Amino acid sequence: MPPQEPAPQPSTPRPPAPPATTPPSHPHRIAVLALPHVIPFELGIPHRIFGRTFAADGTPLYEVTTFGTSPGRLIPTQADFSLHVEHGPEVLAGTDTLIIPASYEPAGLFEGGRLPPEIAKIFEYLRPGTRLASICTGGFVLAAAGYLDGRPATTHWHWAEQFQRLFPSVLVDPEVLYVDDGDVLTSAGVAAGIDLCVHMVRRDFGAAVANDVARRSVVPPHRDGGQSQYIQRPVPEPQLATTTAGRAWALGHLHEPIQLRDMAEQESMSVRTFTRRFREEVGISPGQWLTQQRVERARHLLESSDLSIDQVARDAGFGTAQSMRQHLQAALGVPPTVYRRTFRTHLADPDPRTGTGSGTGTTH
């Protein structure tokens, strides 16, 4: 299988700028909006992911604050309890990222695409340059506020058709787990909020830090495919065999040329059957998945090793530095040398003997 097949990106063609190459002077400040009838699971995702993200010396890299439209009031949730939120929208004046989790209120938002005045008013507190993100139906709030006009976005597949009908100027993609459009990010439903938050950590501080927080949270650092694999089909086909062994074999041979028939042979399947089963299980083609895994391998080697760019390209299975450069530029928006310089400098663990970075990106 040729490694040149492009992988579909969970982000969009507008790549984010790489983070600063110096350690942050203060934690990245995240504000999470708790709307009436918020879903507690989605509300807790930013706290669990960002609240457990640390630098090499144990310093928290994020500061997470929950706020509501009316501080001090009890906020009903979709569960059998209410929340007491101390902070109001004034916290946005010092916020770097605003995250809006899922809620099924107010009704006028989901029926007519209109924000009530008390919710619309919170955006007046935003400072210029604040990054915006939504989890699941939180994208309805961003769309109603006008932040998604003419931009790609996603939401839970169940709500995608309604989302598009209410906001026709939004470029809705119901297939992906999340969309990164630079300063505005949206995710699909429920657990896709975890994928989005881990991706934001990876974008802010590199793959090593993202892998560490994913490991702490017992979730994969990168989930294959999109949300199309979770949509119920009219007549689901019984799965008597999977492609798990083929994927595991490929991960152990990324540094080698891999053909589709090689992966199919691990499952004793025909190429046609293997390709169909693979798409059903993962949501993308084997070639697209393979390119994603090569990109992740290259990222890890660029962050954690002193291998030359040519050697990283060979070990990741791209063959040549030029091929790897093209794939990383498409996936990350930056070439390999810039990626390495950014994250090796940003995350290097100082060697107490020399005072220089070891480049391991290890966290505690």
Side-chain angles (χ1 to χ4, degrees):
M1 181 186 312
Q4 285 76 24
E5 182 176 353
Q9 298 305 314
S11 56
T12 61
R14 201 182 295 183
T21 58
T22 56
S25 58
H26 60 76
H28 185 104
R29 294 164 293 199
I30 292 178
V32 183
L33 175 60
L35 291 173
H37 300 285
V38 66
I39 301 176
F41 181 86
E42 278 89 331
L43 179 67
I45 289 172
H47 290 269
R48 186 61 184 87
I49 299 301
F50 298 112
R52 300 295 296 169
T53 302
F54 305 101
D57 61 358
T59 302
L61 292 172
Y62 295 94
E63 176 183 289
V64 186
T65 302
T66 302
F67 75 100
T69 57
S70 301
R73 295 182 183 178
L74 285 177
I75 298 175
T77 72
Q78 282 286 307
D80 61 344
F81 57 84
S82 297
L83 301 171
H84 176 78
V85 177
E86 298 181 358
H87 303 284
E90 66 278 355
V91 302
L92 293 175
T95 291
D96 300 306
T97 296
L98 165 63
I99 299 179
I100 304 178
S103 172
Y104 296 129
E105 295 288 342
L109 174 61
F110 295 93
E111 296 171 357
R114 300 182 303 274
L115 282 179
E118 65 271 18
I119 298 178
K121 188 173 179 59
I122 71 167
F123 294 100
E124 298 177 7
Y125 291 85
L126 285 177
R127 65 178 185 173
T130 301
R131 182 170 62 179
L132 305 176
S134 65
I135 299 174
C136 193
T137 59
F140 281 71
V141 176
L142 292 181
Y147 288 100
L148 299 181
D149 290 348
R151 307 185 73 159
T154 193
T155 189
H156 192 294
W157 61 263
H158 180 77
W159 289 93
E161 185 176 341
Q162 177 81 344
F163 192 45
Q164 187 69 88
R165 184 183 66 79
L166 289 176
F167 308 106
S169 65
V170 179
L171 308 177
V172 180
D173 186 347
E175 299 287 327
V176 296
L177 294 174
Y178 57 83
V179 171
D180 181 342
D181 198 38
D183 59 338
V184 180
L185 304 92
T186 54
S187 81
V190 198
I194 299 176
D195 296 288
L196 175 66
C197 290
V198 172
H199 165 74
M200 293 168 71
V201 173
R202 185 185 302 111
R203 171 177 149 175
D204 292 341
F205 298 107
V209 173
N211 291 346
D212 182 72
V213 72
R215 188 165 52 248
R216 291 173 184 269
S217 304
V218 200
V219 298
H222 176 78
R223 196 150 46 121
D224 298 326
Q227 61 174 321
S228 60
Q229 61 189 305
Y230 302 105
I231 301 174
Q232 184 176 359
R233 308 301 179 187
V235 184
E237 180 180 345
Q239 294 297 305
L240 301 179
T242 72
T243 61
T244 304
R247 279 178 276 156
W249 177 88
L251 289 176
H253 294 78
L254 279 181
H255 60 288
E256 303 173 3
I258 297 176
Q259 301 297 323
L260 181 55
R261 64 175 178 272
D262 298 328
M263 298 176 67
E265 286 175 358
Q266 309 308 311
E267 306 285 0
S268 299
M269 292 182 188
S270 68
V271 169
R272 181 176 180 179
T273 299
F274 180 84
T275 301
R276 175 170 53 83
R277 289 279 172 83
F278 197 102
R279 281 189 175 276
E280 291 171 351
E281 293 177 18
V282 182
I284 55 178
S285 75
Q288 291 166 337
W289 175 85
L290 182 60
T291 300
Q292 287 184 348
Q293 307 314 308
R294 295 194 193 284
V295 168
E296 289 302 310
R297 174 71 62 84
R299 293 172 72 160
H300 170 72
L301 293 174
L302 289 169
E303 290 185 23
S304 62
S305 77
D306 293 319
L307 296 175
S308 69
I309 298 298
D310 287 336
Q311 186 62 55
V312 170
R314 288 192 293 270
D315 287 0
F318 287 114
T320 67
Q322 177 61 25
S323 176
M324 182 176 72
R325 187 176 299 109
Q326 292 174 350
H327 283 91
L328 262 67
Q329 185 75 47
L332 310 177
V334 293
T337 52
V338 173
Y339 184 86
R340 165 172 273 175
R341 182 169 63 248
T342 297
F343 288 112
R344 290 286 304 272
T345 303
H346 196 60
L347 300 172
D349 186 9
D351 188 324
R353 296 166 299 177
T354 64
T356 60
S358 65
T360 61
T362 304
T363 61
H364 301 294

